[in-house]
Amino acid sequence: MIRFFLLQNRQGKTRLSKWYVPPPSGSGGGGGGTNGASGSSGIEAEKARIEAEIHRMVTARDKKYTNFIEYNNYKIIYRRYAGLFFTIAVDVQDNELSFLETIHLFVELLDAYFSNVCELDIVFNFNKVYTILDEFMLAGEMEETSKREILDRVKQLEKME
């Protein structure tokens, strides 16, 4: 199962962040309180910390190594396209190659939708990128693998707007 999906540039700026499972609390404060707002900001801070740590690991990694890293209770699978790092965190027992193909399919979807996608397309059309991702993945699992089907659904949603 996919835990989260990140798209970051070389400078460490997160351009897309989709969490399907909340991060484990780093402070060990396990939950049971009624502090809704501070609990939410704690989760957001933990997400930001994990995203920064993953970016440091991925960018510092030599190209001669594989695109798979074991990190905490996750397996990080990443791929670099131009100046962007596409990263998926999955369960440790999941198949790395299938998720590497998942990243590639997502990039192909973006490329087909934006016709030669670049970072600016993602920045200025982030809502469309999230729509494409939501049509592609649902609740941490791949929902559809057909590029034509996904892009047709996105175009159908655009007509409804």
Side-chain angles (χ1 to χ4, degrees):
M1 176 181 179
I2 299 171
R3 299 298 175 160
F4 57 85
F5 188 96
L6 301 175
L7 202 162
Q8 299 171 310
N9 65 12
R10 281 185 289 207
Q11 291 77 31
K13 186 79 172 164
T14 300
R15 298 300 186 190
L16 178 130
S17 173
K18 182 78 169 187
W19 289 74
Y20 297 102
V21 177
S25 60
S27 61
T34 57
N35 51 356
S38 64
S40 175
S41 64
I43 289 173
E44 293 303 317
E46 183 66 13
K47 286 179 183 179
R49 185 193 66 75
I50 290 172
E51 289 171 12
E53 196 171 330
I54 287 173
H55 180 265
R56 279 192 299 275
M57 286 189 309
V58 166
T59 54
R61 197 164 164 93
D62 196 351
K63 290 181 181 178
K64 68 181 176 181
Y65 297 120
T66 64
N67 292 4
F68 318 126
I69 304 170
E70 289 206 16
Y71 169 76
N72 289 347
N73 298 331
Y74 309 127
K75 191 180 295 182
I76 305 297
I77 296 133
Y78 68 95
R79 192 150 184 194
R80 180 178 173 187
Y81 289 93
L84 294 172
F85 290 93
F86 293 77
T87 307
I88 294 181
V90 298
D91 294 330
V92 178
Q93 70 273 13
D94 285 343
N95 185 347
E96 303 95 348
L97 295 177
S98 69
F99 287 105
L100 206 55
E101 284 299 314
T102 300
I103 291 171
H104 185 69
L105 180 57
F106 183 66
V107 171
E108 286 182 345
L109 284 167
L110 292 177
D111 202 42
Y113 183 81
F114 292 109
S115 61
N116 203 7
V117 68
C118 68
E119 185 175 355
L120 288 177
D121 291 325
I122 293 166
V123 170
F124 292 119
N125 300 297
F126 67 91
N127 54 346
K128 294 296 178 197
V129 176
Y130 276 105
T131 301
I132 293 168
L133 184 62
D134 289 343
E135 289 298 323
F136 181 42
M137 294 180 200
L138 177 67
E141 299 290 341
M142 282 186 37
E143 178 182 12
E144 180 64 60
T145 58
S146 168
K147 277 191 286 188
R148 185 176 348 139
E149 187 69 30
I150 293 168
L151 293 173
D152 286 348
R153 285 186 199 163
V154 171
K155 299 238 188 285
Q156 225 175 7
L157 288 170
E158 283 177 355
K159 288 178 186 175
M160 294 172 64
E161 290 177 355

